[in-house]
Amino acid sequence: MNSELQYVKWWNSIETFLFCFSEQSKVVCGYPISIFFIVVNEFCERFSYYGMRAVLVLYFKYFLQWDDDLATSIYHTFVALCYLTPILGAIVADSWLGKFKTIIYLSIVYAIGQVAMAVSAIHDITDSDRDGTPNNMTFHVVLSMVGLFLIALGTGGIKPCVAAFGGDQFDDHQEKQRRTFFSVFYLCINGGSLLSTIITPILRGQTCGIYSQQKCYALAFGVPAALMVVSLVVFIVGSGMYYKAKPEGNIMLSVCKCIGFAIKNRYRHRSKAYPKRKHWMDWAEEKYDRLLIAQIKMVLKVLFLYIPLPMFWTLFDQKGSRWTLQATTMDGNFGQLVIQPDQMQTFNPILILTLVPIMESVVYPLIKKCGFNFTPLKRMTVGMFLAALAFVCAGVVQLQIDKTLPIFPSTSESQLKLLNMGNNQLEVHLPNNFTVHLPPAQILCSKHLYCRFVNGLATDLNVSTAAVNFGIIEPLTSSNYSLLKNGKHTFSLKSGSQSCEYTIKFGFGSSYTIFIPIEEIKPNSVHMALQIPQYFLITAGEVMFSVTGLEFSYSQAPSNMKAVLQAGWLLTVAVGNFIVLIVAEIAKLPKKWAEFFLFASLLVAVCVIFSIMAYFYTYIDPTEIEAQFSQEKDEEDEDEKDKMRKTEEHVTKRGSVKSNDSDNAFKLSKM
């Protein structure tokens, strides 16, 4: 009995300790402990998304073997979907599931999509003949497209929920801590983006495989998939510590219903018999509050300015597609450091972290001191112009690259390779009286970033290196092409009793047929450093356009309409990515430099239109307008109360008169 009592006391003390610990641990250094789980979750999720996206276009080109145009089209379709689904996620979270459940469910979808992408990049799954190339490419294409759809649904769906869910964890008196949280939150976004764009291209550059060694896209996608799983697990672990607000309805649905009713009501009263109203939204006054209608008017005024904005995103998001593909034809050797083509995107987050404080603390105050009224809309206009200049730089760089590239046959042409394996010059007569003189041991051909050996001896030749064993090459035959990393390689050559070593330095984008050695395609000679100016200009444009645009939008909209403007802003990004597909398909320019100049010209034209719209825009103070409506409503309520009070007094007086009359009548009857 005593032992049972001791056990009960012991268990009660443990429960009391755990309860006290949980109560005390809800706040650490003035911050809810739940936000630490949210911050880690966001860092891992952003690493997962940007890491996968960094190598995506190269996966399309080199693994799925798509051409540049198809790879670019699918890439921008995916990005567009990522910016369309946040609207759906916000509606689901605010109207049905709540933020917590929406994040959990869509994160599971997100993680499944990332795993599907990693599996789709394993070439050994369908490599039945073990030559390093998948035999059933349809399997890899379908699985990767399913994965990308799930990722777009997941990342877009949780995008509007995570930051807002973190803000919900603070009480009203913790405004300072809430601001600090959002600063750390967005720092995690940029930190995850920066690290992932550095690491995943390195992982892609590794070789892996069961039967044959190829570029390791599976690892490049697998690490982001693992980070997404970690993100989900961390978020679930903190479940018991979160404040979970119940869904209260989505303002976007109310706005859409109000606008729909105004349009429908205006159509019903389209006859001239009905008097016109000052604004078409005033036709919703029969059903909706005047304050809500006024707030929607303010939002529509800002959304009208959004119409030209997608063109900026059309150019900006091509740094992950066209610019990355451009970098594959350039030399990435920076002394001891070798930059991969998809690592050039790293300059964007680095420059953002550098330029934002410089702009806010140096550039803008200096412009203000010079007496120039550099309004937000003027900043956005300059940002668009800088993005156009970035594409002019990209076009100039492409012109330099084209001078060094080999001429490949078109789809209607063929290519003939002529190899003189003898010791004397040969004269070759081709159709149309075309004659070619081949010096001894020379080749006319073109391929891409590979190496092979031609055995011009009369005996078997054994060729090997630390990375690849070419095996025995029979006389007057050649080996298969083998993939080698750039840099120096030493080959061991053995023929009978004779042997020697041969060292050669390989460059980016080169292809070699080694026969007393012969170089088929020269290494990339245009340096990747030439892309730095265009990255600087596009990032400076982003800081002036995107950061200022959000700041302007929030200052011109009512407090309860921020979500509507956020949805509109994300929609401009999605539309901008769709424009890439439309322009590329309509123009179909054979030269990439011409396409860069075309996009620059289109943005300059849009920039002029936007500057005109901005000139006629009148800045407003939503708080003041809302206060006026609140005051008018209070006055109306006061007038209504006065009427009610007078009516009650009148009724009371009439009641008292009737009461006196009845008393007199009663007295008379008594008498």
Side-chain angles (χ1 to χ4, degrees):
M1 185 69 177
N2 290 333
S3 61
E4 290 181 359
L5 287 173
Q6 288 178 352
Y7 174 77
V8 170
K9 290 180 180 178
W10 176 75
W11 179 250
N12 287 339
S13 64
I14 290 178
E15 284 186 325
T16 304
F17 170 75
L18 291 174
F19 175 77
C20 294
F21 177 77
S22 64
E23 287 295 310
Q24 293 174 359
S25 63
K26 285 182 178 179
V27 178
V28 175
C29 299
Y31 294 88
I33 195 171
S34 57
I35 67 164
F36 295 100
F37 295 93
I38 296 172
V39 166
V40 174
N41 164 271
E42 181 66 12
F43 175 83
C44 294
E45 187 275 327
R46 289 291 87 186
F47 186 105
S48 176
Y49 173 73
Y50 284 109
M52 177 276 305
R53 180 173 155 177
V55 300
L56 186 59
V57 74
L58 297 186
Y59 166 77
F60 290 156
K61 181 174 182 179
Y62 295 116
F63 187 92
L64 298 183
Q65 298 177 3
W66 291 348
D67 60 31
D68 289 1
D69 291 335
L70 181 57
T72 300
S73 298
I74 300 300
Y75 174 87
H76 286 285
T77 302
F78 166 71
V79 175
L81 287 176
C82 290
Y83 285 95
L84 279 176
T85 49
I87 300 173
L88 177 64
I91 293 174
V92 170
D94 292 342
S95 302
W96 293 296
L97 296 179
K99 298 183 186 73
F100 175 75
K101 289 184 179 179
T102 302
I103 294 171
I104 291 290
Y105 295 157
L106 290 181
S107 292
I108 294 172
V109 172
Y110 193 169
I112 293 172
Q114 289 282 30
V115 172
M117 282 298 298
V119 174
S120 74
I122 303 175
H123 65 274
D124 289 309
I125 293 178
T126 61
D127 186 13
S128 56
D129 55 6
R130 302 184 180 181
D131 64 347
T133 304
N135 295 98
N136 184 6
M137 194 61 76
T138 303
F139 168 81
H140 297 275
V141 171
V142 171
L143 189 60
S144 61
M145 292 302 102
V146 170
L148 288 176
F149 176 78
L150 295 178
I151 291 170
L153 186 62
T155 187
I158 68 175
K159 190 186 293 289
C161 301
V162 180
F165 185 71
D168 291 343
Q169 307 307 307
F170 295 88
D171 295 328
D172 292 338
H173 67 277
Q174 295 178 301
E175 186 62 32
K176 181 181 178 182
Q177 288 88 342
R178 184 186 282 113
R179 288 198 302 268
T180 305
F181 161 72
F182 282 118
S183 298
V184 174
F185 184 85
Y186 289 111
L187 182 64
C188 287
I189 293 176
N190 285 293
S193 168
L194 176 61
L195 287 177
S196 62
T197 49
I198 294 173
I199 294 173
T200 51
I202 296 175
L203 299 176
R204 176 195 60 79
Q206 306 302 310
T207 55
C208 61
I210 300 174
Y211 306 119
S212 61
Q213 299 293 307
Q214 300 293 329
K215 291 292 185 182
C216 205
Y217 289 98
L219 182 62
F221 290 142
V223 170
L227 264 292
M228 190 59 224
V229 173
V230 171
S231 172
L232 176 60
V233 171
V234 168
F235 189 76
I236 293 175
V237 168
S239 175
M241 305 178 191
Y242 298 137
Y243 168 73
K244 303 165 187 173
K246 295 181 179 180
E248 300 177 351
N250 189 272
I251 188 65
M252 284 187 289
L253 293 177
S254 301
V255 171
C256 292
K257 288 178 181 178
C258 184
I259 293 174
F261 179 80
I263 295 173
K264 190 187 300 182
N265 199 30
R266 176 68 183 90
Y267 181 76
R268 285 201 202 105
H269 301 84
R270 62 186 181 277
S271 173
K272 293 183 179 180
Y274 299 99
K276 290 184 178 181
R277 300 189 182 182
K278 192 173 182 180
H279 192 280
W280 61 271
M281 275 302 302
D282 293 335
W283 289 96
E285 289 180 349
E286 283 84 344
K287 186 177 180 180
Y288 292 92
D289 183 62
R290 287 178 59 203
L291 177 60
L292 175 64
I293 295 172
Q295 291 170 334
I296 294 175
K297 288 178 183 178
M298 288 185 273
V299 169
L300 291 176
K301 190 177 179 182
V302 177
L303 290 178
F304 177 72
L305 282 176
Y306 281 5
I307 294 175
L309 303 191
M311 200 64 213
F312 173 86
W313 301 112
T314 299
L315 276 67
F316 178 79
D317 280 330
Q318 288 190 61
K319 62 182 173 44
S321 57
R322 291 298 197 198
W323 286 13
T324 300
L325 293 172
Q326 183 187 61
T328 62
T329 60
M330 304 177 76
D331 181 13
N333 286 298
F334 287 80
Q336 297 296 321
L337 182 64
V338 177
I339 300 294
Q340 299 293 328
D342 34 3
Q343 282 181 317
M344 285 299 293
Q345 301 174 56
T346 308
F347 281 100
N348 179 246
I350 292 174
L351 288 170
I352 284 178
L353 295 174
T354 306
L355 289 177
V356 168
I358 291 176
M359 290 286 191
E360 294 294 337
S361 59
V362 178
V363 177
Y364 295 154
L366 186 61
I367 293 174
K368 188 176 182 180
K369 282 185 178 181
C370 293
F372 184 70
N373 186 19
F374 203 34
T375 62
L377 292 179
K378 289 178 181 177
R379 295 182 196 175
M380 293 175 68
T381 305
V382 173
M384 296 170 77
F385 184 71
L386 289 176
L389 281 180
F391 263 65
V392 172
C393 289
V396 172
V397 170
Q398 190 62 47
L399 284 171
Q400 298 301 314
I401 293 173
D402 288 348
K403 294 177 182 178
T404 66
L405 293 179
I407 300 175
F408 293 99
S410 65
T411 55
S412 60
E413 296 174 335
S414 299
Q415 186 181 60
L416 176 65
K417 296 183 179 181
L418 301 175
L419 176 63
N420 179 8
M421 300 177 66
N423 296 323
N424 301 316
Q425 179 172 302
L426 290 179
E427 184 177 292
V428 181
H429 298 279
L430 299 174
N432 299 325
N433 297 321
F434 186 73
T435 303
V436 177
H437 295 277
L438 291 180
Q442 295 292 321
I443 186 171
L444 300 178
C445 58
S446 59
K447 198 66 176 152
H448 183 76
L449 192 55
Y450 291 98
C451 174
R452 68 173 178 176
F453 281 83
V454 175
N455 181 9
L457 304 175
T459 58
D460 292 344
L461 178 66
N462 191 312
V463 182
S464 63
T465 185
V468 177
N469 184 6
F470 289 85
I472 297 175
I473 307 171
E474 296 180 355
L476 303 180
T477 60
S478 64
S479 67
N480 292 327
Y481 279 102
S482 294
L483 182 66
L484 293 173
K485 291 184 178 180
N486 67 297
K488 287 186 178 181
H489 287 267
T490 300
F491 298 93
S492 177
L493 309 176
K494 293 181 181 180
S495 179
S497 60
Q498 296 181 339
S499 65
C500 68
E501 289 187 346
Y502 174 72
T503 301
I504 186 172
K505 184 178 180 181
F506 294 92
F508 276 104
S510 57
S511 178
Y512 290 87
T513 293
I514 300 178
F515 177 74
I516 317 175
I518 301 172
E519 185 180 277
E520 289 188 335
I521 297 179
K522 293 183 178 181
N524 299 336
S525 57
V526 179
H527 205 274
M528 282 187 194
L530 291 180
Q531 278 196 325
I532 295 177
Q534 64 199 56
Y535 271 99
F536 177 82
L537 288 170
I538 200 78
T539 306
E542 179 190 8
V543 172
M544 300 189 76
F545 177 87
S546 182
V547 177
T548 307
L550 286 172
E551 175 191 340
F552 162 77
S553 302
Y554 276 44
S555 69
Q556 297 295 291
S559 57
N560 64 335
M561 295 286 174
K562 308 293 186 188
V564 179
L565 283 179
Q566 180 71 12
W569 185 266
L570 295 174
L571 188 62
T572 64
V573 182
V575 174
N577 280 272
F578 282 127
I579 292 175
V580 179
L581 313 180
I582 297 170
V583 174
E585 286 298 320
I586 293 176
K588 289 186 177 180
L589 299 174
K591 298 295 183 180
K592 292 180 182 177
W593 61 264
E595 189 175 273
F596 288 144
F597 289 148
L598 173 63
F599 279 114
S601 302
L602 290 174
L603 185 55
V604 169
V606 170
C607 184
V608 172
I609 295 172
F610 180 76
S611 62
I612 295 172
M613 295 169 65
Y615 178 78
F616 291 101
Y617 181 83
T618 303
Y619 289 84
I620 60 173
D621 185 355
T623 306
E624 183 179 338
I625 295 174
E626 288 177 326
Q628 291 176 358
F629 272 91
S630 298
Q631 184 178 356
E632 290 177 4
K633 189 174 182 180
D634 291 341
E635 291 175 356
E636 291 176 357
D637 292 342
E638 194 64 33
D639 292 341
E640 191 68 27
K641 287 180 182 179
D642 290 341
K643 291 180 182 178
M644 291 289 292
R645 196 181 302 114
K646 290 179 181 179
T647 304
E648 289 175 359
E649 291 175 356
H650 182 67
V651 170
T652 302
K653 288 180 180 179
R654 290 182 61 188
S656 63
V657 171
K658 288 181 179 179
S659 176
N660 291 334
D661 291 344
S662 61
D663 288 343
N664 292 334
F666 176 74
K667 291 177 181 178
L668 289 172
S669 62
K670 289 281 284 184
M671 290 174 64

